[in-house]
């Protein structure tokens, strides 16, 4: 989850501020509006994100020995694509509000580290300061991690025979409860990431609109006889 979020955000943050500098002239010339451009930008990124994320997910699933049943593999790839799309939308926000790529790259580590710290596992929600308890609910890594865990562990049965040291999880549900994920559902994970993605797209559009370059238009000077009459 951390690697997918890192790659998706970093690629967007590196490219979008440079692209924004190029299209500012066209926006100022009113060749097209900010909203049509942003809708086209957001939609055009989906196929590319889905392809490379799916390719990466298939390789990871095969080489790490994850559950490769058709149903779970399909959900695994879908969750990976959604997670990458959510992280990419967060990268669009950073790129939209940043005046240049250097500023965006400076903001990127801070945003990523906050997502790692407040992922719901390093610091539990109960121990999170009250004023910061909203951060885990917006955590990109948190929702990606929870979705992948729920998909992998649901329905699993473990071999508990033989001498064991310490408590043993007999099935996937018990393993999930030790991660604090009992009572969680994939539908909640998908819903949260869709809301985060939609909110980031809206904020990106507003940021792009507010940081749009504006120029002073030259007006035709008054005629000579009008100046003499004045």
């Amino acid at each position: 989850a951390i690697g997918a979020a890192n790659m998706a955000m970093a690629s967007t943050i590196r490219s979008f501020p440079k692209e924004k500098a190029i299209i500012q002239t066209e926006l100022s010339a009113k060749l097209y509006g900010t909203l049509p451009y942003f809708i086209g930008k957001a939609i055009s990124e989906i196929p590319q994100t889905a392809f490379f994320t799916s390719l990466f997910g298939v390789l990871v699933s095969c080489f790490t020995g994850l559950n490769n049943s058709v149903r779970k593999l399909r959900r695994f790839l879908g969750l990976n694509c959604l997670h990458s799309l959510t992280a990419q939308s967060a990268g669009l926000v950073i790129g939209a509000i940043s005046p240049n790529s250097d500023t965006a790259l400076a903001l990127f580590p801070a945003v990523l580290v906050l997502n790692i710290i407040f992922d719901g596992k390093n610091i539990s929600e109960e121990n999170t300061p009250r004023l910061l308890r909203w951060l885990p609910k917006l955590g990109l890594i948190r929702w990606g991690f929870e979705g992948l865990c729920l998909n992998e562990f649901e329905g699993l049965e473990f071999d508990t025979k033989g001498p064991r040291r310490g408590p043993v999880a007999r099935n996937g549900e018990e393993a999930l409860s030790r991660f604090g994920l009992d009572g969680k559902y994939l539908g909640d994970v998908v819903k949260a990431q869709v809301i985060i993605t939609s909110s980031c797209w809206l904020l990106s559009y507003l940021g792009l609109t507010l940081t749009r370059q504006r120029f002073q238009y030259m007006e035709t000077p008054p005629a000579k006889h009008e100046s003499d009459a004045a």
Side-chain angles (χ1 to χ4, degrees):
I2 296 175
N6 185 12
M7 288 189 295
M9 291 181 66
S11 60
T12 304
I13 287 174
R14 288 191 183 96
S15 62
F16 187 51
K18 298 177 181 178
E19 179 181 335
K20 186 177 69 170
I22 295 173
I23 59 100
Q24 288 290 357
T25 304
E26 299 174 354
L27 290 174
S28 301
K30 298 182 179 180
L31 297 179
Y32 46 82
T34 305
L35 182 59
Y37 160 75
F38 186 78
I39 292 176
K41 168 71 176 175
I43 295 176
S44 65
E45 295 287 347
I46 295 176
Q48 180 182 0
T49 301
F51 173 77
F52 287 107
T53 303
S54 297
L55 179 62
F56 176 74
V58 169
L59 294 176
V60 168
S61 181
C62 293
F63 288 124
T64 58
L66 297 180
N67 193 322
N68 284 327
S69 65
V70 176
R71 177 169 171 266
K72 288 208 170 187
L73 180 60
R74 185 171 61 246
R75 292 198 305 188
F76 174 76
L77 296 179
L79 289 168
N80 265 317
C81 291
L82 180 59
H83 177 55
S84 295
L85 185 63
T86 305
Q88 186 185 63
S89 67
L92 283 176
V93 175
I94 298 175
I97 64 176
S98 301
N100 50 57
S101 58
D102 292 335
T103 304
L105 289 172
L107 292 174
F108 169 59
V111 174
L112 186 63
V113 168
L114 282 175
N115 276 277
I116 295 174
I117 294 175
F118 294 100
D119 64 349
K121 304 296 173 293
N122 290 315
I123 302 177
S124 64
E125 292 189 30
E126 294 78 12
N127 295 329
T128 304
R130 183 170 298 179
L131 294 177
L132 299 178
R133 286 185 181 176
W134 56 273
L135 280 174
K137 294 181 174 60
L138 302 179
L140 306 174
I141 295 171
R142 174 216 173 155
W143 294 114
F145 175 77
E146 287 189 7
L148 296 176
C149 286
L150 291 171
N151 179 63
E152 181 65 22
F153 284 98
E154 280 182 351
L156 289 184
E157 296 291 335
F158 301 130
D159 182 10
T160 58
K161 297 178 182 180
R164 306 285 180 180
R165 299 181 62 182
V168 177
R170 293 172 296 180
N171 50 51
E173 283 68 24
E174 289 187 7
L176 288 173
S177 67
R178 296 187 181 185
F179 280 109
L181 299 180
D182 48 325
K184 305 288 186 178
Y185 301 97
L186 278 177
D188 298 331
V189 172
V190 172
K191 180 181 178 181
Q193 293 192 91
V194 169
I195 292 174
I196 293 173
T197 301
S198 303
S199 301
C200 287
W201 279 348
L202 176 60
L203 292 175
S204 300
Y205 167 69
L206 294 176
L208 194 61
T209 302
L210 295 176
T211 58
R212 177 178 172 181
Q213 292 181 356
R214 291 172 173 82
F215 300 93
Q216 180 68 42
Y217 289 98
M218 297 182 63
E219 298 181 355
T220 304
K224 186 176 180 181
H225 66 274
E226 293 180 359
S227 301
D228 296 339

